[in-house]
Amino acid sequence: MAAILRGSRNVWGRIRHVDYTLVSSRSMASKTQVGFIGLGNMGNPMAKNLLKHGYPVIATDVFPESCKELQELGAQIVDNPAEVADKADRIVTMLPSSPNVIDVYTGANGILKKVKKGSLLIDSSTIDPAVSKEMALAVEKMGAVFMDAPVSGGVGAATSGKLTFMVGGVEEEFTAAQELLSCMGANVVYCGAVGTGQVGRPPPPPGSHWVPLPTRSTA
């Protein structure tokens, strides 16, 4: 953890330009496969809402029992994040903590092992902004794009598709991210560069009964 955070104060100056035409040119009306990693209390209903909106979902979770219901609804279940990345060029991750995100993206069977150039990776986990920036750098080296999009609203809002997403990342990709996030939320707000989604994440609205994500390893 310490190693990946080292030098994060200078992360803004180290981000290089990549060819965003690979990702920003994708058809907004397409219903191509979407990867989803992390089927916990929040991720499960979020993935279901993508299915309801007609997106074929390829999903995985470290707990096989978490995948059963989604599989019955038509999702394709694979063994690990690398397999998701091999099959989908748009992936949403919803994980409990910074270490989980680091492992899912950079681990032995992580997304970056098989990520396609031009892929759009959206992390809706609530984590340290410095980790979001480091993941963005690692993803960029592979020719893909990372955006942080943490949520507010809790399990009830996730189920009803009324979450609020605060999005950080390259502005040219916001429309593409919004296409997917709007299937899972009622409000999708662009905050600025990578990491600002985490910083700008709003407090839960009064009476929302929002609770933090459960502490569970979800991959």
Side-chain angles (χ1 to χ4, degrees):
M1 179 67 175
I4 201 160
L5 293 178
R6 190 178 299 125
S8 61
R9 292 181 181 177
N10 298 320
V11 71
W12 296 109
R14 294 189 283 118
I15 293 179
R16 300 177 300 281
H17 293 291
V18 297
D19 185 4
Y20 292 116
T21 59
L22 288 169
V23 277
S24 60
S25 62
R26 61 173 63 87
S27 170
M28 302 316 299
S30 66
K31 296 292 184 180
T32 56
Q33 295 178 134
V34 176
F36 204 103
I37 301 171
L39 301 174
N41 289 350
M42 294 289 288
N44 185 285
M46 289 168 66
K48 286 180 183 176
N49 281 325
L50 285 172
L51 285 170
K52 289 177 183 177
H53 280 81
Y55 288 94
V57 171
I58 300 171
T60 194
D61 190 280
V62 72
F63 296 104
E65 64 272 19
S66 299
C67 303
K68 184 177 179 181
E69 186 178 7
L70 205 67
Q71 187 173 29
E72 291 173 350
L73 292 173
Q76 179 182 352
I77 304 301
V78 296
D79 290 335
N80 55 60
E83 290 189 39
V84 174
D86 188 49
K87 295 176 180 294
D89 62 7
R90 293 184 293 179
I91 301 172
V92 179
T93 52
M94 187 60 168
L95 304 157
S97 67
S98 294
N100 294 120
V101 170
I102 293 168
D103 184 58
V104 162
Y105 278 85
T106 67
N109 291 307
I111 291 171
L112 297 188
K113 292 297 181 182
K114 292 191 177 180
V115 69
K116 297 179 178 70
K117 186 173 291 186
S119 292
L120 175 62
L121 311 178
I122 304 171
D123 181 43
S124 289
S125 316
T126 299
I127 61 173
D128 187 327
V131 173
S132 293
K133 295 171 190 176
E134 290 291 342
M135 292 301 97
L137 285 171
V139 168
E140 182 188 356
K141 289 178 181 177
M142 305 301 294
V145 172
F146 176 95
M147 304 187 84
D148 64 306
V151 303
S152 179
V155 176
T159 301
S160 62
K162 295 182 179 179
L163 291 167
T164 292
F165 291 90
M166 307 298 286
V167 183
V170 60
E171 188 172 5
E172 291 85 351
E173 279 304 302
F174 175 65
T175 302
Q178 187 178 34
E179 176 197 2
L180 296 180
L181 298 178
S182 294
C183 297
M184 302 178 282
N187 301 292
V188 183
V189 181
Y190 181 68
C191 298
V194 170
T196 59
Q198 299 293 343
V199 176
R201 183 177 177 275
S208 67
H209 303 292
W210 179 88
V211 293
L213 292 177
T215 302
R216 62 192 294 271
S217 178
T218 309

